[in-house]
Amino acid sequence: MKEITASMAGTVLNVLVSEGETITTGQAVLTLESMKMEIPIEAATEGEVASVNVNVGDFVNEGDVLVVMK
């Protein structure tokens, strides 16, 4: 299992993937809002989304697991 984690603290603005979806390296999986900036969170490797651990509006801290991939 591979994990995509938050690179900084912020609020989840958009979730762009869903469970079972195949994603590619560099694909944005969600967008965080921090300090009035929108920060895309991208997949470091390709794979299938096993679970999305956050919802729009959730506050996350740096290092929190956002998406788990198979």
Side-chain angles (χ1 to χ4, degrees), residues 5-7 12-13 16-17 29 34 37 40-42 54 67-68:
T5 59
S7 56
V12 178
L13 190 60
L16 306 171
V17 297
V29 295
S34 181
M37 294 177 55
I41 304 299
E42 300 175 346
V54 294
V67 176
V68 177

Side-chain angles (χ1 to χ4, degrees), residues 17-60:
V17 297
S18 57
E19 290 182 23
E21 186 175 339
T22 300
I23 57 177
T24 59
T25 303
Q27 179 178 341
V29 295
L30 58 87
T31 307
L32 289 180
E33 181 178 28
S34 181
M35 300 185 306
K36 298 184 181 181
M37 294 177 55
E38 293 182 13
I39 298 97
I41 304 299
E42 300 175 346
T45 61
E46 61 184 37
E48 182 181 331
V49 177
S51 67
V52 178
N53 298 344
V54 294
N55 296 302
V56 172
D58 288 352
F59 182 82
V60 297

